[in-house]
Amino acid sequence: MGIYSLRMTHATALPPEMAEDGPGSAGIRRVWSAGRRVDLVGTLAQLCRGDGDLANHFDRATGVFWRACATPQGDVTLAVRLQAREDDGDVVAARAWGPGAAWALATVPALLGGDAPEPAIDLSGHPRLHEVARRNPGLRQPATGLVLDQLLPTILEQKVTGMQAHRAWRGLLRRYGRPAPGPNPNLRVPPAAETVLQIPTWVWHRLDVDHSRVRALRAAATVARRLEECAAMEPEAALARLRSVPGIGVWTAAEVAQRAFGYEDAVSVGDFHLPSSVVHFFTGRARGSDEEMLELLEPWRGHRQRIIRLVLLAGVHKPKFGPRYAPLDMRAF
């Protein structure tokens, strides 16, 4: 979603101390030599929930990706940019502010897809996929290591249009997000589980969030501590724990696993557009089902989400039928 339509917004000048330490700097810095190509925008854009996301955005003017989140050690603002391209791999510079700064800097490699060599995938029988992969070196799955951080916006995206979900996410961050530490005044830290549980029903209505999503949000917030343990579990066990929460199904669990755990085999079964997009790419047929999509992706089991991302980046669009869907705005009732 975000990777295909990311618009660079909220321009904020990069603090000089990100490039070199100076007096009065409240943040701490890390330089990471990745030993491989890093697609910073392509990887981290998956975390952006629409153009106006107040927790994650990319500043085109400075080449910096800004992120605000709540870590196990406290709130943090993280600024990441590509510092240099070298023969033996790219160099990434990161600076963080707030109580969670050390935690955030330690997780920069995982956030950008890890430092392990890219796993080999046989694309020899699919020239278009091979070409997309060749044009996008360094594209990885991000792993934030934070579950509620990804679960809240994902639940808001259940069974509504992206526009509705992103508007609700912005509204939630404005009303209940905390000002992020550091120099970027546009950022908001997503609300804690305790805050989510205290939000009254009428506010959710104002945010255009229906009762089924509110129930799922409250159920997730109630067991947030247990869900955060998923980041240290095997992927399938983590998915099973996520799906045990009322209102979190296969699609929601997969979307969270892709971003929180960097799980490259999580397929978003139940997505409105995805099955037809994948089936159209491989067969030319206008429409497809989840079952057909899974059958086509089976040869790449273990890396199916990676294949899906290549398919969506290929620019082959399924045909459209009928008028465009007009979403129902609950706030009018």
Side-chain angles (χ1 to χ4, degrees):
M1 187 166 49
I3 189 173
Y4 317 112
S5 61
L6 181 65
R7 189 173 69 196
M8 312 312 182
T9 57
H10 298 305
T12 299
L14 178 68
E17 61 264 26
M18 184 174 177
E20 57 185 64
D21 292 315
S25 170
I28 58 175
R29 180 175 177 245
R30 175 180 184 178
V31 175
W32 174 51
S33 297
R36 61 172 179 84
R37 287 292 300 276
V38 174
D39 184 347
L40 189 140
V41 175
T43 298
L44 296 183
Q46 291 187 87
L47 304 180
C48 294
R49 309 296 177 135
D51 296 336
D53 191 340
L54 302 177
N56 300 275
H57 73 258
F58 188 79
D59 182 350
R60 183 190 292 274
T62 59
V64 175
F65 183 88
W66 291 90
R67 171 166 164 76
C69 60
T71 78
Q73 297 177 4
D75 292 352
V76 66
T77 291
L78 177 67
V80 186
R81 68 180 175 90
L82 187 63
Q83 179 170 285
R85 292 200 181 279
E86 300 181 351
D87 293 340
D88 58 348
D90 294 343
V91 178
V92 173
R95 184 169 282 278
W97 297 262
W103 188 96
L105 291 181
T107 61
V108 164
L111 191 67
L112 290 168
D115 51 11
E118 188 172 21
I121 299 180
D122 184 9
L123 300 175
S124 57
H126 299 272
R128 282 186 299 181
L129 279 182
H130 185 274
E131 177 60 18
V132 175
R134 186 191 67 79
R135 294 199 314 262
N136 293 275
L139 183 67
R140 299 285 183 98
Q141 283 298 125
T144 67
L146 301 171
V147 178
L148 192 67
D149 175 79
Q150 297 304 309
L151 193 49
L152 293 179
T154 301
I155 291 175
L156 291 175
E157 292 172 351
Q158 291 177 349
K159 299 181 180 179
V160 296
T161 66
M163 179 188 69
Q164 288 175 290
H166 298 159
R167 184 176 60 206
W169 179 235
R170 290 193 302 271
L172 180 66
L173 290 172
R174 287 194 186 103
R175 284 176 176 262
Y176 294 100
R178 301 181 297 280
N184 191 332
N186 297 312
L187 291 176
R188 306 286 288 181
V189 177
E194 296 78 10
T195 302
V196 172
L197 291 172
Q198 294 169 4
I199 298 175
T201 301
W202 67 267
V203 172
W204 289 118
H205 186 87
R206 289 279 184 88
L207 294 174
D208 195 19
V209 181
D210 60 88
H211 291 304
S212 64
R213 285 181 291 160
V214 171
R215 286 194 297 268
L217 288 163
R218 288 173 174 166
T222 300
V223 294
R225 189 182 301 275
R226 292 280 288 161
L227 292 181
E228 293 298 342
E229 297 172 0
C230 291
M233 298 169 61
E234 290 298 318
E236 290 302 323
L239 285 169
R241 180 175 290 188
L242 284 167
R243 293 194 298 264
S244 70
V245 179
I248 299 180
V250 175
W251 180 87
T252 302
E255 291 282 312
V256 171
Q258 292 158 17
R259 297 166 173 83
F261 318 140
Y263 189 25
E264 286 202 339
D265 198 46
V267 181
S268 301
V269 172
D271 191 272
F272 186 78
H273 297 288
L274 186 59
S276 293
S277 296
V278 172
V279 170
H280 178 69
F281 178 86
F282 285 110
T283 70
R285 297 199 303 272
R287 291 191 172 110
S289 65
D290 282 322
E291 291 74 20
E292 291 171 313
M293 174 180 68
L294 292 173
E295 182 179 353
L296 289 166
L297 294 173
E298 183 60 30
W300 296 286
R301 178 173 285 276
H303 305 280
R304 291 177 294 179
Q305 173 59 18
R306 184 176 170 197
I307 296 298
I308 288 171
R309 294 191 69 201
L310 294 177
V311 166
L312 296 177
L313 284 169
V316 179
H317 304 291
K318 64 182 178 65
K320 297 179 180 179
F321 300 93
R324 188 173 182 177
Y325 171 71
L328 178 67
D329 191 338
M330 283 182 51
R331 298 172 300 174
F333 297 93

